[in-house]
């Protein structure tokens, strides 16, 4: 997967060189290219923002700079093999659709992602309109809060997507076991996890997990996931399809 990130703080993405995502880069599974938005400015101050039309606090990012930067990155990034290839453009913003594991799985199938993290009050909306017709433009939110810029959101999205790529995670099946991965445990929160020693400061590991009864262990884990989900995120249970709920109810 090819990932282009255009930002006024490209150094923000240094953490992508470590951890899982770092290994994927070494393996070539993930090809991340960083671009400094100010490289496309033409004034001595390298201005990327201006006051908002209609008044109000803060500044808005100018459309011209973004337009030149996106055009250049799309032009540069086109694989020789497929000159018609276009990236999926992802714009982190509090006013976007929620970024979920389902969206991460969808992004993990893309050959090319282009991230355009905004600063200030956001990017002039005409940029999304201009590219919305040519590229798929997704405005996504990683949560209901406002950050100073979209860079932290890009780190979150790249990590959530990167760990789904083949070969990035050591133990592939743990992706299937994710809280929000499709399947039996879909939309349930992870239950408690334990490892050695069997007793730590007087706290014992639940007996069932030491029993070796895989069927009972799977059931215990599912019940714990149900209990934790109904306790912390009851609204997620509403998402469960009826037979998943029936399956649980039949047992308790
Ligand atoms: O704050 C965020 O992005 C930066 C941003 C973009 C546009 C206007 C203000 C701030 C964000 C919060 N959840 N997901 C993204």
């Amino acid at each position: 997967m090819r990932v282009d990130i255009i930002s006024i703080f490209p150094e923000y993405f240094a953490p992508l060189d470590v951890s899982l995502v770092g290994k994927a880069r070494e393996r070539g599974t993930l090809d991340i290219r960083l671009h400094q938005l100010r490289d496309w400015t033409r004034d001595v101050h390298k201005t990327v923002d201006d006051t908002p039309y209609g008044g109000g606090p803060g500044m808005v990012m100018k459309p011209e700079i973004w337009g030149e930067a996106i055009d250049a990155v799309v032009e540069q990034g086109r694989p020789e093999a497929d000159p018609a290839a276009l990236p999926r453009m992802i714009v982190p913003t509090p006013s976007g659709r929620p970024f979920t594991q389902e969206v991460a799985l969808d992004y993990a199938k893309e050959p090319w992602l282009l991230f355009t993290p905004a600063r200030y009050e956001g990017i002039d909306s005409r940029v999304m309109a201009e590219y919305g017709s040519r590229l798929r433009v997704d405005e996504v939110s990683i949560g209901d809060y406002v950050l100073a810029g979209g860079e932290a959101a890009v780190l979150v999205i790249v990590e959530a997507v990167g760990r789904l790529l083949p070969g990035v995670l050591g133990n592939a099946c743990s992706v299937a076991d994710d809280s929000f991965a499709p399947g039996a445990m879909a939309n349930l929160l992870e239950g408690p996890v334990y490892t050695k020693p069997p007793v730590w400061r007087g706290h014992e590991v639940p007996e069932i997990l030491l029993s070796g009864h895989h069927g009972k262990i799977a059931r215990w884990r599912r019940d714990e996931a149900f209990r934790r989900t109904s306790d912390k995120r009851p609204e997620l249970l509403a998402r469960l399809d009826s037979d998943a709920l029936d399956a649980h109810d039949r047992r308790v």
Side-chain angles (χ1 to χ4, degrees), residues 84-152:
L86 288 170
R88 187 158 184 183
M89 182 166 145
I90 301 168
V91 190
T93 167
S95 56
R97 71 174 173 140
F99 177 68
T100 62
Q101 191 67 11
E102 190 180 350
V103 176
L105 287 157
D106 185 27
Y107 288 172
K109 297 178 201 138
E110 293 291 338
W112 186 9
L113 299 178
L114 166 58
F115 288 93
T116 60
R119 288 258 140 187
Y120 310 105
E121 303 310 308
I123 300 172
D124 184 303
S125 291
R126 289 170 290 181
V127 173
M128 274 56 80
E130 156 76 358
Y131 291 98
S133 49
R134 265 191 290 152
L135 314 178
R136 277 163 305 158
V137 177
D138 275 5
E139 294 185 83
V140 283
S141 164
I142 62 164
D144 294 334
Y145 37 76
V146 183
L147 303 167
E151 283 79 8

Side-chain angles (χ1 to χ4, degrees), residues 35-246:
H35 309 275
Q36 169 49 269
L37 178 65
R38 295 191 196 277
D39 289 353
W40 285 277
T41 57
R42 305 213 175 136
D43 65 310
V44 67
H45 299 296
K46 298 181 178 289
T47 312
V48 294
D49 63 313
D50 203 336
T51 52
Y53 274 126
M59 302 290 271
V60 173
M61 299 190 95
K62 296 161 65 68
E64 308 97 314
I65 322 296
W66 276 105
E68 300 210 6
I70 293 167
D71 288 348
V73 168
V74 171
E75 203 44 48
Q76 286 162 20
R78 282 195 168 150
E80 297 71 44
D82 177 7
L86 288 170
R88 187 158 184 183
M89 182 166 145
I90 301 168
V91 190
T93 167
S95 56
R97 71 174 173 140
F99 177 68
T100 62
Q101 191 67 11
E102 190 180 350
V103 176
L105 287 157
D106 185 27
Y107 288 172
K109 297 178 201 138
E110 293 291 338
W112 186 9
L113 299 178
L114 166 58
F115 288 93
T116 60
R119 288 258 140 187
Y120 310 105
E121 303 310 308
I123 300 172
D124 184 303
S125 291
R126 289 170 290 181
V127 173
M128 274 56 80
E130 156 76 358
Y131 291 98
S133 49
R134 265 191 290 152
L135 314 178
R136 277 163 305 158
V137 177
D138 275 5
E139 294 185 83
V140 283
S141 164
I142 62 164
D144 294 334
Y145 37 76
V146 183
L147 303 167
E151 283 79 8
V154 172
L155 281 177
V156 165
I157 296 168
V158 168
E159 176 154 337
V161 173
R163 67 182 286 277
L164 296 173
L165 299 181
V168 172
L169 258 191
N171 174 2
C173 75
S174 59
V175 169
D177 297 350
D178 276 347
S179 285
F180 300 97
M185 300 291 265
N187 289 320
L188 287 178
L189 301 181
E190 311 257 332
V193 288
Y194 304 89
T195 185
K196 298 188 245 341
V199 184
W200 174 69
R201 295 191 182 177
H203 301 283
E204 295 179 6
V205 170
E207 199 57 41
I208 189 80
L209 298 180
L210 309 177
S211 70
H213 289 294
H214 299 294
K216 286 182 184 170
I217 289 169
R219 186 171 312 140
W220 181 86
R221 282 181 167 152
R222 189 167 165 71
D223 293 347
E224 282 299 303
F226 254 95
R227 192 174 53 72
R228 183 174 279 197
T229 308
S230 54
D231 177 34
K232 292 196 169 74
R233 297 285 303 279
E235 77 280 7
L236 291 181
L237 292 180
R239 279 200 216 160
L240 285 185
D241 46 40
S242 54
D243 56 347
L245 280 169
D246 295 346

